[in-house]
Amino acid sequence: LKAVSFFAYKSLLTHKTDEMKQVHITLLIFLFFSFNISLANKDSLWTIWEDESQVDTVRLDALYNFTANHFLYNDPDSAIALFKTYLDFAEAIENDKEIAFGLRLVGAAYQVSGDNEICLDYYDKSYKKSLEVGDMDGAIKSLLNKDMIYDRLGKWREVIENSEQLLPQLKANQDWGNVAILNGNLYGVYSEKGLLEEALKIALENYELIPKLDRQYHYEKVRDLARAYGEINELELAKKYNIEALAIAKELGENTSILGSIQDLLNISMNQNDTTQITDYVQEGEQIAASLEGLQSWITWKYELGDYYMTSGMHQEAETAFTMALAAAQSKNMAFLMPYLEHAIGMNALKMSNFEKAAENCGKSYDSSKNQLQSQKMTQANCNCLHKAYKALGQTEKALPYLEESYALRDSLFNEETTKATTRLTMQYEFDQEKQATDLLYQAELQRQRLIQYGLLGGLILLALLAVVIYRNYRNTAKTKQLIEAQKNKLEELNATKDRLFAIIGHDLRKPSIAFRGIGKKVDYLLEEQDYDTLGNLSQSLEKAAFSLNSLLDNLLNWALQQRNVLPYQPQVIDVAKATEDIYQQFRSIAAEKGVDLQFDLSEDTQVFADPNAFTTIVRNLLDNAIKFTPKQGQVTISDEVASEKVILKVADTGIGMDKAELADLFQLKDKKSRRGTNGEAGTGLGLTLVQELVKLNKGSIQVNSQAQKGTVFEVALPMGS
């Protein structure tokens, strides 16, 4: 319509007589109404395309709409042929911008058909053609389409390289809108791959661009920054920028964005256990949601609200919110949301001891999620719900298959999460290594250029000054050698640490997971033989293996975060006795099975000021180490005392102890074999290294006293809680 109207309007402006103007005004009105009538059905669009008397751009527009609306998603093969016709026509009329657009259309058709290789080739041609004709918007659209395919194929490096390749030109042209778009694309990649520090840098850069962007784009950039801080658990900063995003959304009057920011603030308050503003957020959210009733944003709000009510023990209110959301999703035929809502209703009913309703709704969610190929986590959650519900109803035969499937899914998910975590660590290491190598090359090139400049300058000055230049060059060379030697030593140290880390990942992490091999067949056999006692023992063995594997993975991830200087540090007053209750329960059975007497001699009123997660990791690793190296009939004791505004935690054992050489390397992660425990337990050497770093992070100190065959005492001093 715009193309036809523009053609008629342009003709009107080129004729100055009143008679011709009247003719073209009549033509403009006629074309306006005739084009609206032609859009009534697809046959009319095809008629316009075949009408050679029409303007070329009008014919192309008709062919595009005809193909996109009726064939692209229903018949991709026909769409490919029609869009190639579009491209051939654009080339025939030598319209470069339409050629670039045609190339992108053909690529889109191949993308829908699933042919990624040919699709990428057309997107690349469209990208280059758009750059050739100066169409930066078209180039960026082609680039983002390419990145979509690369992301689907797991080629995240190509996504980063594509964006970074175009960014310097956009910045030079001060095309800040497109800079923000590509930065947003990079933020999404870094965030998804767990490179949270890089994601935060991109979000901060986009935030600084806000004064150069149109007002309607401000909300998205501020909310991205809030999410980036939330991902690294900087909840106060996440809250600050969410409040700023909420103010922008209110100014723009965009209720969907307002509701999204309120949801984020509600979740942050719940994570912080801050109830001061939750009621206000709920009330404001309900007022905004009223204007969006029935829409997807309204449904997700009701889901989040129901989750808040369920967490707070307000089960009747939760059921009302979930039921309203489910009814709306059903009326709008939003099948992808239904499994989540049905599961939420089932879990809420389970908490209310309404087991029939729990089984009914989790069963529906189970069937829906299976049919829609929903995530394994959702299926496992439904299996757990159904097992508990049927077990409570006394229907053991129905409950048992769901328990079996839940165990199988849990093992699958555990292996998947382990693989993802390992891959993320590897990616982060490779990313850092490449970045460091690039920096070294840049510095070397910079040094070379400076030396050349010094040489040219020295050829133009007097012989007296030449001696000074030579002397300075000599000093610079010596400094450069020292710098290179220091960098070499640092790289060798990093390489040794990398080798040790990968040894842990490749050997120590794989070894405990062997316990899970063949578990399905074992469970099937025991169920067939109805040997429930052995099945129970097997479950306990698996639980211990999973606990061991989970502890090692926690240490690996915490160590990686510490190395990147992004390990969360949120200190608070901790009741030592209460904070170690769960740890005691975890290690009591392990110690008893080994024949070690485990004693907790902690004062009930002792408090420390430290990060809760770090404190738990410190105690857990020290106890695990003590039990591992204490033989049968031995004793492990944890006690506390207060001295000089410090709380000193002592973990003492009567184990095999250490000599001076072992003590010297105790807290260093070297490429060495860790000692085995008194029962042959494997170790990685990572736990105590992590303990030392966490103690430093929490402004404490650690000492160890030990002699061979005379036991060991670890003393951790932490700030006393007020």
Side-chain angles (χ1 to χ4, degrees), residues 38-39 41-50 58-75 78-79 82-83 86:
S38 72
L39 290 176
N41 56 67
K42 66 179 183 179
D43 293 334
S44 298
L45 288 170
W46 186 254
T47 300
I48 294 173
W49 158 245
E50 289 191 315
V58 173
R59 294 181 64 195
L60 285 174
D61 189 59
L63 179 58
Y64 162 70
N65 283 287
F66 174 78
T67 307
N69 294 337
H70 301 289
F71 290 96
L72 182 58
Y73 296 102
N74 300 322
D75 186 358
S78 296
L82 290 167
F83 280 148
Y86 185 108

Side-chain angles (χ1 to χ4, degrees), residues 333-361:
N333 198 27
M334 296 181 181
F336 62 95
L337 292 176
M338 293 181 194
Y340 298 97
L341 295 167
E342 290 165 343
H343 174 74
I345 293 173
M347 289 302 299
N348 189 59
L350 191 66
K351 292 178 182 290
M352 297 172 68
S353 300
N354 189 344
F355 303 117
E356 292 87 352
K357 188 169 185 177
E360 176 188 356
N361 283 277

Side-chain angles (χ1 to χ4, degrees), residues 254-270:
E254 296 179 354
N255 285 345
T256 301
S257 299
I258 294 172
L259 193 58
S261 291
I262 291 174
Q263 286 179 229
D264 290 344
L265 288 167
L266 178 61
N267 286 327
I268 291 173
S269 295
M270 292 175 65

Side-chain angles (χ1 to χ4, degrees), residues 94-274:
E94 299 181 349
N95 187 325
D96 288 336
K97 193 169 183 179
E98 292 292 350
I99 291 172
F101 183 53
L103 289 166
R104 194 162 80 246
L105 292 177
V106 177
Y110 275 114
Q111 180 179 347
V112 174
S113 72
D115 196 330
N116 292 326
E117 185 174 348
I118 299 179
C119 161
L120 284 171
D121 182 55
Y122 274 97
Y123 282 153
D124 190 55
K125 290 177 180 176
S126 175
Y127 171 73
K128 292 176 180 177
K129 189 66 175 178
S130 297
L131 287 180
E132 180 185 321
V133 300
D135 181 12
M136 295 305 297
D137 289 337
I140 287 175
K141 288 175 182 176
S142 298
L143 182 65
L144 294 178
N145 287 345
K146 284 173 60 179
D147 289 348
M148 190 187 309
I149 304 301
Y150 283 135
D151 186 61
R152 183 186 302 167
L153 297 175
K155 297 183 177 181
W156 62 280
R157 293 180 184 277
E158 284 80 353
V159 176
I160 295 174
E161 289 173 0
N162 284 340
S163 298
E164 290 183 342
Q165 197 174 34
L166 192 57
L167 276 170
Q169 183 177 346
L170 293 174
K171 291 178 180 178
N173 296 339
Q174 297 186 354
D175 189 353
W176 305 119
N178 283 324
V179 169
I181 290 174
L182 287 188
N183 274 345
N185 193 42
L186 283 173
Y187 166 76
V189 174
Y190 286 135
S191 177
E192 180 185 349
K193 299 305 176 185
L195 304 174
L196 303 182
E197 184 178 344
E198 285 73 22
L200 177 59
K201 289 178 182 177
I202 294 294
L204 284 167
E205 183 178 338
N206 257 0
Y207 183 78
E208 292 175 358
L209 287 178
I210 284 178
K212 303 173 182 177
L213 303 175
D214 292 339
R215 184 62 173 169
Q216 63 265 30
Y217 300 117
H218 292 189
Y219 172 80
E220 178 188 347
K221 305 311 169 189
V222 177
R223 197 178 186 195
D224 278 350
L225 183 57
R227 287 173 174 169
Y229 277 120
E231 286 170 343
I232 62 171
N233 212 31
E234 291 284 355
L235 297 183
E236 282 300 322
L237 287 171
K239 182 177 181 180
K240 170 188 173 182
Y241 289 106
N242 266 312
I243 291 173
E244 183 177 341
L246 178 59
I248 295 172
K250 287 180 177 179
E251 179 184 330
L252 297 173
E254 296 179 354
N255 285 345
T256 301
S257 299
I258 294 172
L259 193 58
S261 291
I262 291 174
Q263 286 179 229
D264 290 344
L265 288 167
L266 178 61
N267 286 327
I268 291 173
S269 295
M270 292 175 65
N271 289 333
Q272 290 182 315
N273 293 319
D274 181 5

Side-chain angles (χ1 to χ4, degrees), residues 218-509:
H218 292 189
Y219 172 80
E220 178 188 347
K221 305 311 169 189
V222 177
R223 197 178 186 195
D224 278 350
L225 183 57
R227 287 173 174 169
Y229 277 120
E231 286 170 343
I232 62 171
N233 212 31
E234 291 284 355
L235 297 183
E236 282 300 322
L237 287 171
K239 182 177 181 180
K240 170 188 173 182
Y241 289 106
N242 266 312
I243 291 173
E244 183 177 341
L246 178 59
I248 295 172
K250 287 180 177 179
E251 179 184 330
L252 297 173
E254 296 179 354
N255 285 345
T256 301
S257 299
I258 294 172
L259 193 58
S261 291
I262 291 174
Q263 286 179 229
D264 290 344
L265 288 167
L266 178 61
N267 286 327
I268 291 173
S269 295
M270 292 175 65
N271 289 333
Q272 290 182 315
N273 293 319
D274 181 5
T275 60
T276 55
Q277 291 182 287
I278 285 182
T279 302
D280 294 336
Y281 292 144
V282 171
Q283 290 177 351
E284 186 176 3
E286 284 288 76
Q287 290 175 359
I288 297 298
S291 65
L292 303 169
E293 185 169 354
L295 300 179
Q296 183 175 337
S297 56
W298 179 87
I299 294 172
T300 56
W301 163 253
K302 287 296 181 183
Y303 176 82
E304 293 286 350
L305 186 61
D307 186 57
Y308 158 67
Y309 284 140
M310 184 168 63
T311 304
S312 302
M314 304 165 67
H315 297 296
Q316 196 58 52
E317 291 84 350
E319 182 176 4
T320 300
F322 289 143
T323 303
M324 292 173 65
L326 179 60
Q330 289 171 338
S331 67
K332 299 292 185 181
N333 198 27
M334 296 181 181
F336 62 95
L337 292 176
M338 293 181 194
Y340 298 97
L341 295 167
E342 290 165 343
H343 174 74
I345 293 173
M347 289 302 299
N348 189 59
L350 191 66
K351 292 178 182 290
M352 297 172 68
S353 300
N354 189 344
F355 303 117
E356 292 87 352
K357 188 169 185 177
E360 176 188 356
N361 283 277
C362 283
K364 291 179 181 178
S365 178
Y366 175 86
D367 293 337
S368 300
S369 61
K370 283 275 190 178
N371 293 334
Q372 297 179 24
L373 299 178
Q374 221 84 12
S375 70
Q376 287 186 336
K377 288 184 179 180
M378 171 60 70
T379 304
Q380 189 203 15
N382 282 318
C383 286
N384 289 335
C385 175
L386 289 166
H387 167 252
K388 292 177 183 178
Y390 283 126
K391 184 178 179 182
L393 292 169
Q395 300 179 27
T396 309
E397 292 183 359
K398 284 188 175 181
L400 195 57
Y402 289 113
L403 178 62
E404 180 182 353
E405 185 174 356
S406 175
Y407 278 135
L409 288 169
R410 183 187 67 177
D411 294 341
S412 176
L413 288 168
F414 184 83
N415 290 333
E416 181 182 342
E417 289 300 320
T418 301
T419 301
K420 286 182 179 178
T422 304
T423 302
R424 188 177 296 117
L425 285 172
T426 305
M427 287 167 49
Q428 183 67 67
Y429 178 80
E430 291 177 352
F431 183 87
D432 291 344
Q433 289 294 92
E434 287 183 6
K435 185 177 179 181
Q436 189 173 25
T438 301
D439 290 342
L440 288 173
L441 288 173
Y442 173 77
Q443 291 297 330
E445 177 63 20
L446 190 62
Q447 183 74 7
R448 188 182 68 85
Q449 291 178 3
R450 286 175 178 170
L451 289 173
I452 291 173
Q453 291 174 358
Y454 290 153
L456 291 175
L457 182 62
L460 300 176
I461 60 178
L462 298 174
L463 289 174
L465 294 178
L466 181 61
V468 176
V469 173
I470 294 173
Y471 175 71
R472 288 182 178 177
N473 282 337
Y474 173 78
R475 289 182 58 189
N476 286 339
T477 302
K479 289 181 180 179
T480 302
K481 288 181 178 179
Q482 292 176 358
L483 177 62
I484 291 173
E485 186 66 27
Q487 290 174 338
K488 177 184 175 184
N489 294 336
K490 181 63 176 178
L491 286 173
E492 288 177 350
E493 181 182 341
L494 288 173
N495 195 48
T497 301
K498 178 264 297 181
D499 289 340
R500 180 58 185 153
L501 176 62
F502 283 166
I504 293 170
I505 294 172
H507 180 267
D508 297 294
L509 192 59

